[in-house]
Amino acid sequence: MTSSTGTTRRTVLRRATAAAGALGVGLAGVPTAASAGQRERIRVAVLLYDGFTALDAVGPYEALCRVPGVRVVTVGRKAGPVRTDTGQLALGAERAMTDVPHADVLLIPGGGNRGTIATMNDPSVLAWVRRIHQHSTWTTSVYTGALVLGSAGLLRGVPATTYWASRPYLAETFGAVVTPGRFVESGKIITAAGVSAGIDLGLHLAARLSDDEVGRAMQLAIEYDPEPPFDTGSPEKADEATRQLALKLVADAAAP
Amino acid sequence: MTSSTGTTRRTVLRRATAAAGALGVGLAGVPTAASAGQRERIRVAVLLYDGFTALDAVGPYEALCRVPGVRVVTVGRKAGPVRTDTGQLALGAERAMTDVPHADVLLIPGGGNRGTIATMNDPSVLAWVRRIHQHSTWTTSVYTGALVLGSAGLLRGVPATTYWASRPYLAETFGAVVTPGRFVESGKIITAAGVSAGIDLGLHLAARLSDDEVGRAMQLAIEYDPEPPFDTGSPEKADEATRQLALKLVADAAAP
């Protein structure tokens, strides 16, 4: 822990946070040499498409955006607002696909039927996904985002997961080897299960892009000590009526 | 379960999902009589302000937006894109505060120091929060959003929680009775802990606004079966070095 200047890392951290002010949430607005020097070394590109699921994108964003040296960039067919699957929310795509020729991490969120299918069948998106994947360090997905990776031809014979209700489709249509797990790491491809699984994936990536110390700190920063009110978070734990109702609620809330 | 027409609820659900198509994610794009009839009966207003934390808003949104009859509305000082605390993402505020005189559920996300303090000191926001609270069914917060509720005068003597590092400030400045818990329900006020705690709060609200059956189904719909990669999600579980690093990462990533 001791550097050549005799200052330990822990001392520096204590010194920084001692000035953090009454709210205890840090030195907002005071850029540090460390963060400035590390800016945009690692680019995480999150694809946003009409009908994507917000939490699929925002869970990993929140786990990754404070990792030293990481910059999360939202990418759309064009820059500007992109509507989610329910139509009740929009996130901004900062860049157009054509302006993002490279990323260290590619993340494809899932979406409702309409948005996922349209994206699976969009040649320009698939070409971009393949191009980014060629030089990425990690190529990742959440929820039905795995179907987009599959449609781009990246999952044939690859152990992978997706939304619980889409597992058979992923295997039958794209030849993925559906594998149990909150997320499945196969070489540089990591596919996560549905929606909230992107948080687990994001913290895993935070540690991989930095170290376990940063992973642990980011988990505390987002206070990820979950206490789900029910025990129905996976299809294996839920009964048939709950599974059917979940499918119906998702279908009924889908924006036209 | 049997209605006067002899059709059970379960039969209807099975029938609906039988037509849900190969992806298994539902009948996207086919509005149902049920969802159309229930539209906007329950309005959830999520305040977005410059410097808010994305997951604080999106976690509850994702848990609530598919609950029958619920419509989530993002509300800003004015309508349009609102930047998050890191400046790396923007969410769209659908409505201006002045256009939203009433909501059944009010949700105040937290943010970095800069955004939280500015909001705590904005008389127009505080007046709006008090006005909505007067007739709300639930008034809720995530992370440092509790400080905004506190600044609006709503937490004096009220059991409440907030971001772990802001607990002393919440008690000392606004007279809240800081209480352990993933979220704390005190009459119609529910305050959640940091960032990801909004998902637990959201699923709890989903059940309260509908029933436990819907809560359980929404937990499955977002596949909330968390497997955090570390065991550092609360300050009690993390060591001092992890706590200090978490504060530093949040501070360093704050947008000016």
mmCIF file of all heavy atoms in Angstrom, chain B residues 124-158:
data_model
loop_
_atom_site.group_PDB
_atom_site.id
_atom_site.type_symbol
_atom_site.label_atom_id
_atom_site.label_comp_id
_atom_site.label_asym_id
_atom_site.label_seq_id
_atom_site.Cartn_x
_atom_site.Cartn_y
_atom_site.Cartn_z
ATOM 1 N N SER B 124 -39.342 26.572 -5.408
ATOM 2 C CA SER B 124 -40.433 26.140 -6.287
ATOM 3 C C SER B 124 -40.585 24.617 -6.235
ATOM 4 O O SER B 124 -41.696 24.091 -6.258
ATOM 5 C CB SER B 124 -40.199 26.615 -7.723
ATOM 6 O OG SER B 124 -39.048 26.006 -8.275
ATOM 7 N N VAL B 125 -39.467 23.900 -6.151
ATOM 8 C CA VAL B 125 -39.545 22.440 -6.041
ATOM 9 C C VAL B 125 -40.166 22.051 -4.702
ATOM 10 O O VAL B 125 -41.056 21.198 -4.637
ATOM 11 C CB VAL B 125 -38.151 21.788 -6.191
ATOM 12 C CG1 VAL B 125 -38.231 20.290 -5.873
ATOM 13 C CG2 VAL B 125 -37.594 21.993 -7.589
ATOM 14 N N LEU B 126 -39.717 22.680 -3.633
ATOM 15 C CA LEU B 126 -40.232 22.329 -2.301
ATOM 16 C C LEU B 126 -41.725 22.611 -2.196
ATOM 17 O O LEU B 126 -42.477 21.827 -1.607
ATOM 18 C CB LEU B 126 -39.462 23.082 -1.214
ATOM 19 C CG LEU B 126 -37.952 22.773 -1.151
ATOM 20 C CD1 LEU B 126 -37.301 23.553 -0.021
ATOM 21 C CD2 LEU B 126 -37.675 21.287 -1.016
ATOM 22 N N ALA B 127 -42.163 23.722 -2.801
ATOM 23 C CA ALA B 127 -43.599 24.043 -2.775
ATOM 24 C C ALA B 127 -44.388 22.973 -3.544
ATOM 25 O O ALA B 127 -45.460 22.544 -3.113
ATOM 26 C CB ALA B 127 -43.838 25.422 -3.381
ATOM 27 N N TRP B 128 -43.826 22.533 -4.678
ATOM 28 C CA TRP B 128 -44.494 21.495 -5.475
ATOM 29 C C TRP B 128 -44.561 20.182 -4.690
ATOM 30 O O TRP B 128 -45.599 19.518 -4.658
ATOM 31 C CB TRP B 128 -43.760 21.311 -6.809
ATOM 32 C CG TRP B 128 -44.387 20.289 -7.704
ATOM 33 C CD1 TRP B 128 -45.491 20.444 -8.494
ATOM 34 C CD2 TRP B 128 -43.944 18.938 -7.912
ATOM 35 N NE1 TRP B 128 -45.764 19.284 -9.175
ATOM 36 C CE2 TRP B 128 -44.828 18.346 -8.829
ATOM 37 C CE3 TRP B 128 -42.885 18.183 -7.406
ATOM 38 C CZ2 TRP B 128 -44.685 17.018 -9.263
ATOM 39 C CZ3 TRP B 128 -42.741 16.872 -7.826
ATOM 40 C CH2 TRP B 128 -43.628 16.299 -8.744
ATOM 41 N N VAL B 129 -43.448 19.823 -4.049
ATOM 42 C CA VAL B 129 -43.406 18.586 -3.263
ATOM 43 C C VAL B 129 -44.474 18.630 -2.162
ATOM 44 O O VAL B 129 -45.237 17.672 -1.971
ATOM 45 C CB VAL B 129 -42.000 18.372 -2.660
ATOM 46 C CG1 VAL B 129 -42.010 17.293 -1.569
ATOM 47 C CG2 VAL B 129 -40.999 18.015 -3.759
ATOM 48 N N ARG B 130 -44.556 19.756 -1.457
ATOM 49 C CA ARG B 130 -45.568 19.878 -0.382
ATOM 50 C C ARG B 130 -46.983 19.785 -0.942
ATOM 51 O O ARG B 130 -47.860 19.146 -0.361
ATOM 52 C CB ARG B 130 -45.396 21.221 0.340
ATOM 53 C CG ARG B 130 -44.218 21.247 1.288
ATOM 54 C CD ARG B 130 -44.229 22.528 2.131
ATOM 55 N NE ARG B 130 -42.869 22.915 2.479
ATOM 56 C CZ ARG B 130 -42.160 23.862 1.870
ATOM 57 N NH1 ARG B 130 -42.690 24.576 0.902
ATOM 58 N NH2 ARG B 130 -40.924 24.117 2.248
ATOM 59 N N ARG B 131 -47.189 20.409 -2.111
ATOM 60 C CA ARG B 131 -48.533 20.419 -2.706
ATOM 61 C C ARG B 131 -48.942 18.996 -3.122
ATOM 62 O O ARG B 131 -50.063 18.567 -2.852
ATOM 63 C CB ARG B 131 -48.551 21.371 -3.915
ATOM 64 C CG ARG B 131 -49.916 21.730 -4.380
ATOM 65 C CD ARG B 131 -49.901 23.017 -5.225
ATOM 66 N NE ARG B 131 -49.024 22.929 -6.375
ATOM 67 C CZ ARG B 131 -47.945 23.688 -6.572
ATOM 68 N NH1 ARG B 131 -47.613 24.615 -5.700
ATOM 69 N NH2 ARG B 131 -47.214 23.534 -7.653
ATOM 70 N N ILE B 132 -48.025 18.288 -3.769
ATOM 71 C CA ILE B 132 -48.346 16.912 -4.188
ATOM 72 C C ILE B 132 -48.557 16.033 -2.953
ATOM 73 O O ILE B 132 -49.477 15.204 -2.907
ATOM 74 C CB ILE B 132 -47.216 16.332 -5.064
ATOM 75 C CG1 ILE B 132 -47.003 17.174 -6.333
ATOM 76 C CG2 ILE B 132 -47.520 14.874 -5.440
ATOM 77 C CD1 ILE B 132 -48.135 17.150 -7.307
ATOM 78 N N HIS B 133 -47.711 16.209 -1.959
ATOM 79 C CA HIS B 133 -47.787 15.389 -0.741
ATOM 80 C C HIS B 133 -49.135 15.530 -0.042
ATOM 81 O O HIS B 133 -49.662 14.566 0.525
ATOM 82 C CB HIS B 133 -46.660 15.788 0.216
ATOM 83 C CG HIS B 133 -46.773 15.144 1.573
ATOM 84 N ND1 HIS B 133 -46.585 13.785 1.766
ATOM 85 C CD2 HIS B 133 -47.051 15.668 2.808
ATOM 86 C CE1 HIS B 133 -46.737 13.499 3.053
ATOM 87 N NE2 HIS B 133 -47.026 14.615 3.707
ATOM 88 N N GLN B 134 -49.696 16.723 -0.109
ATOM 89 C CA GLN B 134 -50.949 17.002 0.599
ATOM 90 C C GLN B 134 -52.066 16.006 0.228
ATOM 91 O O GLN B 134 -52.846 15.612 1.079
ATOM 92 C CB GLN B 134 -51.390 18.435 0.258
ATOM 93 C CG GLN B 134 -52.152 19.096 1.383
ATOM 94 C CD GLN B 134 -52.379 20.574 1.094
ATOM 95 O OE1 GLN B 134 -51.889 21.113 0.090
ATOM 96 N NE2 GLN B 134 -53.124 21.227 1.962
ATOM 97 N N HIS B 135 -52.109 15.616 -1.047
ATOM 98 C CA HIS B 135 -53.190 14.730 -1.483
ATOM 99 C C HIS B 135 -52.683 13.382 -2.006
ATOM 100 O O HIS B 135 -53.461 12.625 -2.586
ATOM 101 C CB HIS B 135 -54.028 15.428 -2.568
ATOM 102 C CG HIS B 135 -54.652 16.709 -2.102
ATOM 103 N ND1 HIS B 135 -55.712 16.739 -1.220
ATOM 104 C CD2 HIS B 135 -54.342 18.002 -2.346
ATOM 105 C CE1 HIS B 135 -56.033 17.998 -0.964
ATOM 106 N NE2 HIS B 135 -55.219 18.788 -1.632
ATOM 107 N N SER B 136 -51.402 13.109 -1.837
ATOM 108 C CA SER B 136 -50.867 11.847 -2.345
ATOM 109 C C SER B 136 -51.353 10.669 -1.501
ATOM 110 O O SER B 136 -51.733 10.839 -0.332
ATOM 111 C CB SER B 136 -49.338 11.864 -2.320
ATOM 112 O OG SER B 136 -48.866 11.810 -0.980
ATOM 113 N N THR B 137 -51.316 9.485 -2.120
ATOM 114 C CA THR B 137 -51.545 8.265 -1.354
ATOM 115 C C THR B 137 -50.231 7.833 -0.705
ATOM 116 O O THR B 137 -50.205 7.388 0.441
ATOM 117 C CB THR B 137 -52.057 7.145 -2.288
ATOM 118 O OG1 THR B 137 -53.200 7.640 -2.992
ATOM 119 C CG2 THR B 137 -52.451 5.903 -1.495
ATOM 120 N N TRP B 138 -49.138 7.966 -1.481
ATOM 121 C CA TRP B 138 -47.806 7.638 -0.982
ATOM 122 C C TRP B 138 -46.836 8.745 -1.384
ATOM 123 O O TRP B 138 -46.863 9.206 -2.533
ATOM 124 C CB TRP B 138 -47.297 6.320 -1.585
ATOM 125 C CG TRP B 138 -48.138 5.128 -1.275
ATOM 126 C CD1 TRP B 138 -49.020 4.500 -2.098
ATOM 127 C CD2 TRP B 138 -48.176 4.400 -0.036
ATOM 128 N NE1 TRP B 138 -49.622 3.429 -1.462
ATOM 129 C CE2 TRP B 138 -49.108 3.350 -0.184
ATOM 130 C CE3 TRP B 138 -47.516 4.543 1.181
ATOM 131 C CZ2 TRP B 138 -49.394 2.448 0.834
ATOM 132 C CZ3 TRP B 138 -47.796 3.634 2.203
ATOM 133 C CH2 TRP B 138 -48.731 2.601 2.025
ATOM 134 N N THR B 139 -46.004 9.156 -0.464
ATOM 135 C CA THR B 139 -44.913 10.095 -0.742
ATOM 136 C C THR B 139 -43.619 9.362 -0.423
ATOM 137 O O THR B 139 -43.431 8.905 0.711
ATOM 138 C CB THR B 139 -45.057 11.357 0.123
ATOM 139 O OG1 THR B 139 -46.269 12.032 -0.237
ATOM 140 C CG2 THR B 139 -43.866 12.297 -0.090
ATOM 141 N N THR B 140 -42.747 9.225 -1.432
ATOM 142 C CA THR B 140 -41.618 8.308 -1.281
ATOM 143 C C THR B 140 -40.307 8.933 -1.764
ATOM 144 O O THR B 140 -40.303 9.905 -2.522
ATOM 145 C CB THR B 140 -41.861 7.009 -2.086
ATOM 146 O OG1 THR B 140 -41.778 7.302 -3.485
ATOM 147 C CG2 THR B 140 -43.228 6.412 -1.782
ATOM 148 N N SER B 141 -39.204 8.359 -1.303
ATOM 149 C CA SER B 141 -37.891 8.818 -1.736
ATOM 150 C C SER B 141 -36.922 7.646 -1.813
ATOM 151 O O SER B 141 -37.156 6.589 -1.235
ATOM 152 C CB SER B 141 -37.338 9.865 -0.763
ATOM 153 O OG SER B 141 -37.096 9.278 0.505
ATOM 154 N N VAL B 142 -35.860 7.853 -2.562
ATOM 155 C CA VAL B 142 -34.768 6.898 -2.666
ATOM 156 C C VAL B 142 -33.483 7.682 -2.409
ATOM 157 O O VAL B 142 -33.373 8.850 -2.817
ATOM 158 C CB VAL B 142 -34.715 6.253 -4.073
ATOM 159 C CG1 VAL B 142 -33.572 5.241 -4.177
ATOM 160 C CG2 VAL B 142 -36.036 5.586 -4.420
ATOM 161 N N TYR B 143 -32.500 7.043 -1.711
ATOM 162 C CA TYR B 143 -31.156 7.629 -1.583
ATOM 163 C C TYR B 143 -31.257 9.002 -0.899
ATOM 164 O O TYR B 143 -31.989 9.140 0.081
ATOM 165 C CB TYR B 143 -30.579 7.713 -3.002
ATOM 166 C CG TYR B 143 -29.115 8.034 -3.196
ATOM 167 C CD1 TYR B 143 -28.097 7.372 -2.507
ATOM 168 C CD2 TYR B 143 -28.728 8.984 -4.143
ATOM 169 C CE1 TYR B 143 -26.740 7.665 -2.768
ATOM 170 C CE2 TYR B 143 -27.389 9.271 -4.407
ATOM 171 C CZ TYR B 143 -26.404 8.613 -3.711
ATOM 172 O OH TYR B 143 -25.087 8.906 -3.973
ATOM 173 N N THR B 144 -30.602 10.032 -1.418
ATOM 174 C CA THR B 144 -30.656 11.347 -0.787
ATOM 175 C C THR B 144 -31.941 12.114 -1.102
ATOM 176 O O THR B 144 -32.095 13.266 -0.683
ATOM 177 C CB THR B 144 -29.452 12.214 -1.197
ATOM 178 O OG1 THR B 144 -29.453 12.371 -2.614
ATOM 179 C CG2 THR B 144 -28.137 11.561 -0.775
ATOM 180 N N GLY B 145 -32.862 11.484 -1.820
ATOM 181 C CA GLY B 145 -34.180 12.089 -2.029
ATOM 182 C C GLY B 145 -34.868 12.391 -0.705
ATOM 183 O O GLY B 145 -35.685 13.316 -0.610
ATOM 184 N N ALA B 146 -34.529 11.625 0.341
ATOM 185 C CA ALA B 146 -35.102 11.882 1.671
ATOM 186 C C ALA B 146 -34.718 13.271 2.175
ATOM 187 O O ALA B 146 -35.481 13.897 2.924
ATOM 188 C CB ALA B 146 -34.630 10.812 2.658
ATOM 189 N N LEU B 147 -33.540 13.759 1.755
ATOM 190 C CA LEU B 147 -33.121 15.100 2.196
ATOM 191 C C LEU B 147 -34.016 16.170 1.585
ATOM 192 O O LEU B 147 -34.252 17.221 2.197
ATOM 193 C CB LEU B 147 -31.654 15.350 1.825
ATOM 194 C CG LEU B 147 -30.644 14.316 2.363
ATOM 195 C CD1 LEU B 147 -29.231 14.662 1.916
ATOM 196 C CD2 LEU B 147 -30.714 14.209 3.880
ATOM 197 N N VAL B 148 -34.516 15.905 0.396
ATOM 198 C CA VAL B 148 -35.455 16.844 -0.237
ATOM 199 C C VAL B 148 -36.790 16.815 0.520
ATOM 200 O O VAL B 148 -37.360 17.871 0.816
ATOM 201 C CB VAL B 148 -35.644 16.513 -1.737
ATOM 202 C CG1 VAL B 148 -36.674 17.441 -2.377
ATOM 203 C CG2 VAL B 148 -34.305 16.592 -2.471
ATOM 204 N N LEU B 149 -37.253 15.621 0.840
ATOM 205 C CA LEU B 149 -38.468 15.538 1.673
ATOM 206 C C LEU B 149 -38.245 16.243 3.012
ATOM 207 O O LEU B 149 -39.119 16.953 3.507
ATOM 208 C CB LEU B 149 -38.860 14.073 1.916
ATOM 209 C CG LEU B 149 -39.315 13.245 0.708
ATOM 210 C CD1 LEU B 149 -39.757 11.851 1.166
ATOM 211 C CD2 LEU B 149 -40.452 13.934 -0.039
ATOM 212 N N GLY B 150 -37.060 16.043 3.584
ATOM 213 C CA GLY B 150 -36.723 16.702 4.848
ATOM 214 C C GLY B 150 -36.735 18.212 4.720
ATOM 215 O O GLY B 150 -37.297 18.924 5.567
ATOM 216 N N SER B 151 -36.138 18.686 3.641
ATOM 217 C CA SER B 151 -36.071 20.129 3.413
ATOM 218 C C SER B 151 -37.460 20.720 3.183
ATOM 219 O O SER B 151 -37.693 21.901 3.469
ATOM 220 C CB SER B 151 -35.151 20.415 2.217
ATOM 221 O OG SER B 151 -34.896 21.786 2.114
ATOM 222 N N ALA B 152 -38.375 19.900 2.680
ATOM 223 C CA ALA B 152 -39.764 20.352 2.491
ATOM 224 C C ALA B 152 -40.539 20.309 3.815
ATOM 225 O O ALA B 152 -41.726 20.639 3.849
ATOM 226 C CB ALA B 152 -40.458 19.494 1.433
ATOM 227 N N GLY B 153 -39.854 19.853 4.884
ATOM 228 C CA GLY B 153 -40.485 19.856 6.208
ATOM 229 C C GLY B 153 -41.355 18.652 6.495
ATOM 230 O O GLY B 153 -42.156 18.658 7.431
ATOM 231 N N LEU B 154 -41.183 17.580 5.695
ATOM 232 C CA LEU B 154 -42.095 16.442 5.817
ATOM 233 C C LEU B 154 -41.591 15.344 6.742
ATOM 234 O O LEU B 154 -42.301 14.374 6.984
ATOM 235 C CB LEU B 154 -42.378 15.850 4.429
ATOM 236 C CG LEU B 154 -42.899 16.821 3.365
ATOM 237 C CD1 LEU B 154 -43.200 16.085 2.067
ATOM 238 C CD2 LEU B 154 -44.135 17.552 3.858
ATOM 239 N N LEU B 155 -40.347 15.454 7.238
ATOM 240 C CA LEU B 155 -39.782 14.327 7.982
ATOM 241 C C LEU B 155 -39.501 14.615 9.464
ATOM 242 O O LEU B 155 -38.908 13.787 10.144
ATOM 243 C CB LEU B 155 -38.486 13.847 7.293
ATOM 244 C CG LEU B 155 -38.633 13.269 5.881
ATOM 245 C CD1 LEU B 155 -37.303 12.718 5.385
ATOM 246 C CD2 LEU B 155 -39.695 12.165 5.837
ATOM 247 N N ARG B 156 -39.922 15.758 9.965
ATOM 248 C CA ARG B 156 -39.646 16.059 11.376
ATOM 249 C C ARG B 156 -40.380 15.058 12.284
ATOM 250 O O ARG B 156 -41.593 14.929 12.204
ATOM 251 C CB ARG B 156 -40.056 17.503 11.701
ATOM 252 C CG ARG B 156 -39.531 17.986 13.055
ATOM 253 C CD ARG B 156 -39.323 19.499 13.095
ATOM 254 N NE ARG B 156 -38.339 19.964 12.123
ATOM 255 C CZ ARG B 156 -37.004 19.947 12.307
ATOM 256 N NH1 ARG B 156 -36.498 19.476 13.422
ATOM 257 N NH2 ARG B 156 -36.199 20.392 11.375
ATOM 258 N N GLY B 157 -39.586 14.311 13.075
ATOM 259 C CA GLY B 157 -40.163 13.308 13.974
ATOM 260 C C GLY B 157 -40.626 12.039 13.281
ATOM 261 O O GLY B 157 -41.233 11.178 13.913
ATOM 262 N N VAL B 158 -40.340 11.931 11.982
ATOM 263 C CA VAL B 158 -40.824 10.793 11.196
ATOM 264 C C VAL B 158 -39.716 9.729 11.057
ATOM 265 O O VAL B 158 -38.601 10.060 10.679
ATOM 266 C CB VAL B 158 -41.265 11.268 9.785
ATOM 267 C CG1 VAL B 158 -41.620 10.084 8.892
ATOM 268 C CG2 VAL B 158 -42.418 12.245 9.882
#
